Amino acid sequence: MKALIIPLMALLLISCTTKQDLSHTETAKIVIESFYNGDKTTLEKHTTPESYTNFISLQGMFVEDENSASDFKVIDELVDGSVAWVKYSTAYEQKPGVFKLVKEDEQWKVTERRPREKVPF
């Protein structure tokens, strides 16, 4: 019995400390909130380099109070392998927005859409 307790405790400890991968919708929410709250470190972590550059160039015009609620809501979503699309609404914008996300190193990141790329919804 004692021989089972130690491996079970170790397994429990490992499972509790293992970082869980974020879903594409959780990543989209983090990107929205970090963009509007001016959190460049978090924004960079959850976007591709080209998206980060574009966000930073726009960020100064759209910064909100970091205590303001985003009211992020997923309207629609689609996952096709390593590409995901999230249509969302927030308290920051009147019209719904759409993010394209790609999976890099097992982590979802917001990326740029190609010119004239069709959105699936």
Side-chain angles (χ1 to χ4, degrees), residues 5-22:
I5 291 176
I6 293 175
L8 287 175
M9 296 281 288
L11 182 62
L12 179 63
L13 181 62
I14 290 170
S15 66
C16 289
T17 59
T18 302
K19 180 181 173 271
Q20 297 295 319
D21 292 329
L22 297 173

Side-chain angles (χ1 to χ4, degrees), residues 10-109:
L11 182 62
L12 179 63
L13 181 62
I14 290 170
S15 66
C16 289
T17 59
T18 302
K19 180 181 173 271
Q20 297 295 319
D21 292 329
L22 297 173
S23 72
H24 56 285
T25 55
E26 291 169 324
T27 300
K29 180 179 182 182
I30 289 169
V31 168
I32 282 291
E33 291 176 348
S34 62
F35 174 77
Y36 282 104
N37 293 330
D39 184 351
K40 292 178 181 178
T41 303
T42 302
L43 185 63
E44 184 175 27
K45 181 179 176 186
H46 296 285
T47 56
T48 59
E50 60 273 0
S51 290
Y52 176 73
T53 301
N54 289 336
F55 279 126
I56 291 304
S57 67
L58 296 171
Q59 193 173 45
M61 298 184 295
F62 296 100
V63 174
E64 295 281 332
D65 177 10
E66 68 181 51
N67 295 322
S68 64
S70 68
D71 292 332
F72 181 87
K73 292 182 181 74
V74 174
I75 297 171
D76 205 352
E77 62 183 295
L78 174 72
V79 179
D80 185 15
S82 63
V83 177
W85 294 86
V86 177
K87 185 175 186 178
Y88 62 89
S89 66
T90 69
Y92 307 133
E93 303 168 7
Q94 292 179 351
K95 293 182 179 180
V98 176
F99 278 148
K100 177 182 178 183
L101 296 95
V102 292
K103 203 156 204 185
E104 291 182 354
D105 300 324
E106 299 303 314
Q107 179 182 352
W108 287 106
K109 293 189 175 198

